[in-house]
Amino acid sequence: MTLRRQPNTLMTRRNTLLLSLLLPLAACAGDAPPAPSFGPANYDYLTKLPLRVGKIEIDDNWVPRGEARHVEYLAPTTPLAALATMAEQRLVAAGGQGVARFSVQDASIIRSGGQYLGTLAVRLDLIDEDGNDVAHAIAKAAQTREVGGDDPEQVRADLYALVRGLMRDMNVEFEYQVRRAMADRLESTDPTAPPPAPVQTEELTAPGKAP
C-alpha cells in the first residue's frame, strides 16, 4: 500500500497570506502616487478694469515685518505674486493721461498655534499728468485656515488653498472698490460700447513688439 503525504495545510495558508501582503507592497514601491500639482495664479478670465490712463504701474516691493512667524514664502504661489498677477491681468490702460499705480500693502500669512492667518491689502491710485492723486481705492481680505500638519507637502497644500480663498475674496472686493471710487474714470465694459480709439491702443504697444 502506497502512502500519500498530506499537504501541510497550515503552512500553505501562511505562505498564501504572506504572498498577499507582499504583492501590494511591491506594487506600491514601483508605482508611487504622483506629487500634488499646484497650478499658478490666473485671473485672466475675470472682468477687465479699463482705466482712462496712459499706463499701469505695479509696486510689489512689500516685505514681511514684525516678529510674527511669517510663512507666506512657503506657499506654491505666494500672496505677493498672486496680487501682482491680479493687477497685471485685470487692470488695463485704456488710453489717456496719467498713471494708475497699484501697490501691495500687505501679503502676509502668519502661523499662530494651530492656525494660518492670511491678510491681503492693496491700494490703487490714479495720478494725473501733474502728479496729483485724483482718486484711490483700497481693498482688503483676510482668512484663517487650520494647520493640517507639518509635512512639507501638507504645508504647501494648506497654504495653496488659503491663498486661493484669499484671492477669491480679494478679486471681488478689489473690483467693487475700484468701481465705487473710480466710476467716472472707467471705460464702459458694455459689449455694445465702441472700442477705444486706435491711437489710444497704439500708445500702449510699440510697433512690432508684443504687449
Side-chain angles (χ1 to χ4, degrees), residues 53 97-101 125-135:
V53 294
Q97 301 297 316
V99 175
R101 183 172 297 148
D125 291 280
L126 297 188
I127 302 169
D128 66 17
E129 55 271 28
D130 297 321
N132 301 311
D133 191 338
V134 296

Side-chain angles (χ1 to χ4, degrees), residues 149-198:
D150 292 321
D151 177 82
E153 285 304 319
Q154 182 62 55
V155 171
R156 284 165 56 82
D158 286 343
L159 297 182
Y160 180 76
L162 179 57
V163 172
R164 281 174 60 90
L166 282 165
M167 289 304 300
R168 277 196 299 268
D169 290 351
M170 174 54 79
N171 271 290
V172 172
E173 180 67 9
F174 181 64
E175 180 172 344
Y176 170 77
Q177 295 297 341
V178 169
R179 292 191 180 281
R180 181 189 63 81
M182 304 176 179
D184 60 340
R185 297 177 181 272
L186 277 168
E187 289 287 349
S188 172
T189 55
D190 186 340
T192 62

Side-chain angles (χ1 to χ4, degrees), residues 15-30:
N15 289 343
T16 301
L17 177 60
L18 181 61
L19 184 62
S20 68
L21 292 174
L22 290 176
L23 284 176
L25 291 176
C28 291

